Amino acid sequence: MSNDPWGQDVLVDFEDGIAWVQLNRPDKRNAMSVGLAREMSATLDALEVDDRCGVIVLTGVGEAFSAGMDLKDFFRATDGVSDVERMRAYRSTRYWQWRGLIHYAKPTIAMVNGWCFGGAFTPLICCDLAIADEGATFGLSEINWGVIPGGVVSKAISTVMGDRKAMYYVMTGEKFDGRKAEEMGLINEAVPADQLRARTTELAKILLGKNPTVLRQARMAYKYARYMDWEQAAEYLTAKADQTTFVDPEKGREHGLKQFLDDKTYRPGHGSYVR
Ligand code: ACO
């Protein structure tokens, strides 16, 4: 019997360093329930120290990435319970949907294979990169059923979408497709459905080829520096660069400089040093 924390609302398959993490409630269009939140939190926690996982791809089983928060679990079922119980239900989503995901130790790619509504924007945006089927359907549908984009959705969209676009979709609840999501910067790229997995695999393999310590430090440095002013960022990034050299067991900086300046065997502008 496996000790893996996934297997019910979350499925995980490993393939050459890629952990394909699938939300698995296809009958409910992968709406994110309290149970799914707990399983995803435990799954992320376990994969962070699992050597089979070098990159996470987050996607959904069936025709949806995710239809957002499970409205039964998080709205109907929390009406009439105490504030504390309601807060505990909401808190169950925070680690996996954003707090843990933003600062996750391994690179993350969201692969949007279909419906993506409301609360699903949070993990989508908090993954490092995102690719979608160009025919996928996105929507900030909250206004359509009488609530605001809460949780942390309004904050999340403000980090990737321009204000005019974000406000338009917050206020109208209109749907848009993968191509539009790419144009607005919500995702990196949209591809035809039959190329989605192949392109995602290709991108994951590029990341797997990089020095994992430097890649982790680069991701974190970007995510923290963007909220600092220039002076703070300069100090922080200088210290972070020194720390990266210090903690990198591969000594990437040393090899990179030597192979370029002394051996003249590669050019960083064209590609990576030989690891
Ligand atoms: N919460 C709870 N149950 C859901 C959700 C959801 N977010 N989305 C779908 N389901 C359930 C449906 O109630 C239905 O359950 P049932 O079989 O017990 O009746 C089942 O999943 C299948 O859904 P259908 O609506 O029948 O599927 P269809 O393919 O026709 O439509 C679509 C898919 C467009 C995604 C539709 O289900 C939908 O509009 N879902 C809600 C989207 C949404 O607004 N999400 C909330 C965003 S706001 C937030 O996250 C806080």
Side-chain angles (χ1 to χ4, degrees):
M1 174 117 174
S2 157
N3 286 327
D4 294 332
W6 55 84
Q8 190 177 319
D9 293 340
V10 180
L11 301 180
V12 179
D13 290 307
F14 297 98
E15 187 186 53
D16 301 331
I18 305 171
W20 295 89
V21 178
Q22 293 180 281
L23 306 180
N24 184 39
R25 300 184 74 221
D27 293 349
K28 301 292 178 189
R29 305 300 180 262
N30 301 325
M32 300 177 291
S33 60
V34 172
L36 181 144
R38 298 217 169 97
E39 205 171 317
M40 266 307 298
S41 297
T43 297
L44 287 184
D45 196 44
L47 291 179
E48 204 162 35
V49 288
D50 189 320
D51 290 339
R52 294 171 295 178
C53 169
V55 173
I56 281 185
V57 175
L58 177 66
T59 188
V61 173
E63 63 196 72
F65 175 70
S66 168
M69 301 305 287
D70 187 308
L71 303 192
K72 258 190 195 162
D73 258 26
F74 282 98
F75 294 87
R76 182 62 61 71
T78 56
D79 287 346
V81 303
S82 72
D83 272 2
V84 172
E85 281 177 81
R86 205 161 73 97
M87 182 197 67
R88 283 163 63 87
Y90 278 85
R91 203 169 53 196
S92 70
T93 67
R94 290 186 183 167
Y95 172 75
W96 94 261
Q97 287 190 355
W98 56 276
R99 194 181 285 133
L101 200 51
I102 290 173
H103 298 121
Y104 201 63
K106 296 176 176 177
T108 50
I109 304 172
M111 185 178 90
V112 182
N113 52 307
W115 306 114
C116 178
F117 286 105
F121 277 56
T122 301
L124 163 69
I125 290 166
C126 292
C127 282
D128 301 322
L129 302 172
I131 299 188
D133 169 356
E134 56 190 18
T137 303
F138 297 78
L140 292 166
S141 53
E142 288 88 338
I143 192 84
N144 295 342
W145 63 278
V147 299
I148 67 165
V152 78
V153 171
S154 290
K155 172 68 182 170
I157 56 175
S158 75
T159 66
V160 289
M161 291 167 78
D163 287 344
R164 292 285 178 215
K165 299 286 185 197
M167 290 293 283
Y168 182 87
Y169 289 107
V170 165
M171 293 167 72
T172 64
E174 260 177 38
K175 295 177 288 183
F176 54 92
D177 66 12
R179 272 192 231 100
K180 187 86 190 164
E182 176 185 335
E183 189 189 303
M184 291 191 293
L186 178 60
I187 60 169
N188 293 90
E189 58 186 275
V191 297
D194 62 359
Q195 293 167 28
L196 183 61
R197 190 171 169 112
R199 175 61 188 136
T200 306
T201 303
E202 187 179 57
L203 182 58
K205 286 191 170 161
I206 292 171
L207 302 179
L208 285 167
K210 305 290 180 197
N211 176 327
T213 309
V214 179
L215 186 58
R216 188 182 70 242
Q217 296 281 102
R219 292 167 50 240
M220 288 310 125
Y222 178 80
K223 290 180 185 197
Y224 283 112
R226 70 183 160 156
Y227 293 114
M228 296 176 186
D229 67 31
W230 284 65
E231 296 295 340
Q232 290 167 339
E235 285 301 307
Y236 163 74
L237 290 170
T238 305
K240 195 75 179 166
D242 286 348
Q243 184 208 27
T244 303
T245 305
F246 182 71
V247 299
D248 177 16
E250 188 174 310
K251 303 285 172 227
R253 183 180 186 276
E254 212 175 286
H255 293 300
L257 283 181
K258 180 173 180 298
Q259 290 175 26
F260 178 49
L261 296 178
D262 305 329
D263 307 342
K264 301 194 182 298
T265 49
Y266 87 113
R267 289 186 170 74
H270 293 319
S272 196
Y273 70 92
V274 177
R275 292 180 56 205

